[in-house]
């Protein structure tokens, strides 16, 4: 029982980017926190952005123009982080860049082809993740259209 609990804890750490929080928790001897793992508002938003971009990728591969910029993505500017993480200047700069490239996908006047615009926005997900949350990068890379 104890072992499977720890296995779950480590899986969650790999899936999200909770390395630092877990080290703190271990140091403070508070392993029970993991029983109540609740993803942060930001983690939920990120997972939604992932799913939505997977759909956009499929639309592009099917030759369809993605319809409308998902306004809920703007929550990136205000959503609450996992405990122990916080907003900083790097995050704010990357999130603005990310939102502007994601909006370009829906710009009918763009002279850049759709696939390159989509890949630029996914590359910004990756760039931001390289600064502080490297765990999901290999998953995000799967969104890139080859
Ligand atoms: C401006 C920086 C930034 C951008 C841009 C960004 N992310 Fe994130 N991402 C983060 C941070 C920080 C977290 C951790 C949030 C938390 O734990 O509260 C995170 C967490 C995640 C997670 C893990 C969520 C979980 O369950 O713990 C996934 C998956 C993810 N991002 C995918 C993406 C995808 C896909 C994109 C682009 C469509 C993207 N991210 C764009 C910074 C960013």
């Amino acid at each position: 029982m104890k072992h499977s609990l720890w296995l779950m804890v480590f899986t969650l750490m790999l899936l999200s980017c909770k390395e630092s929080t877990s080290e703190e928790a271990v140091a403070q001897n508070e392993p029970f926190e993991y029983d109540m793992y609740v993803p942060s508002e930001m983690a939920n938003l990120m997972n939604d952005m992932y799913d939505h971009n997977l759909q956009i990728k499929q639309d592009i591969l099917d030759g369809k123009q993605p319809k409308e910029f998902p306004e809920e993505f703007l929550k990136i500017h205000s959503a609450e982080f996992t405990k122990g993480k916080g907003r900083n200047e790097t995050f704010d700069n990357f999130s603005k860049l990310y939102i502007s490239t994601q909006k370009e996908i829906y710009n009918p006047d763009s002279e850049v082809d759709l696939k390159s615009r989509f890949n630029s926005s996914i590359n910004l997900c990756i760039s931001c993740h390289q600064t502080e949350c490297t765990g999901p990068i290999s998953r995000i890379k799967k969104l890139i259209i080859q």
Side-chain angles (χ1 to χ4, degrees):
M1 175 59 204
K2 236 188 158 177
H3 288 290
S4 61
L5 185 69
W6 277 109
L7 193 68
M8 202 182 90
V9 167
F10 284 121
T11 316
L12 284 173
M13 279 163 51
L14 286 177
L15 289 176
S16 54
C17 34
K18 294 175 58 63
E19 294 92 348
S20 56
T21 358
S22 63
E23 275 161 28
E24 281 161 30
V26 169
Q28 293 162 13
N29 204 8
E30 286 175 2
F32 291 113
E33 214 176 282
Y34 300 113
D35 285 343
M36 307 177 284
Y37 177 78
V38 180
S40 67
E41 191 186 1
M42 186 65 87
N44 282 331
L45 171 67
M46 292 285 164
N47 285 316
D48 288 351
M49 295 196 319
Y50 185 93
D51 292 344
H52 205 107
N53 275 292
L54 199 60
Q55 183 57 53
I56 298 175
K57 175 181 182 177
Q58 196 52 53
D59 283 349
I60 295 175
L61 291 174
D62 292 345
K64 292 188 229 157
Q65 167 68 39
K67 286 184 199 77
E68 222 178 309
F69 172 75
E71 293 291 327
E72 70 265 22
F73 284 12
L74 297 176
K75 281 198 221 147
I76 196 171
H77 299 311
S78 61
E80 300 257 351
F81 289 77
T82 301
K83 213 171 120 212
K85 286 183 190 296
R87 210 164 279 286
N88 58 35
E89 209 179 316
T90 315
F91 182 90
D92 285 343
N93 288 336
F94 273 114
S95 55
K96 281 181 207 146
L97 275 173
Y98 160 68
I99 291 295
S100 66
T101 53
Q102 182 94 47
K103 280 185 170 163
E104 269 304 294
I105 297 173
Y106 305 89
N107 175 3
D109 303 324
S110 174
E111 288 174 0
V112 181
D113 73 280
L114 190 54
K115 177 182 139 187
S116 312
R117 279 180 277 152
F118 175 76
N119 283 346
S120 306
S121 81
I122 301 304
N123 277 321
L124 266 153
C125 309
I126 297 169
S127 304
C128 183
H129 275 257
Q130 275 161 346
T131 67
E132 59 174 317
C133 172
T134 50
I137 289 180
S138 58
R139 222 180 121 206
I140 300 175
K141 279 190 175 153
K142 297 197 185 113
L143 291 172
I144 296 277
I145 300 176
Q146 298 303 329

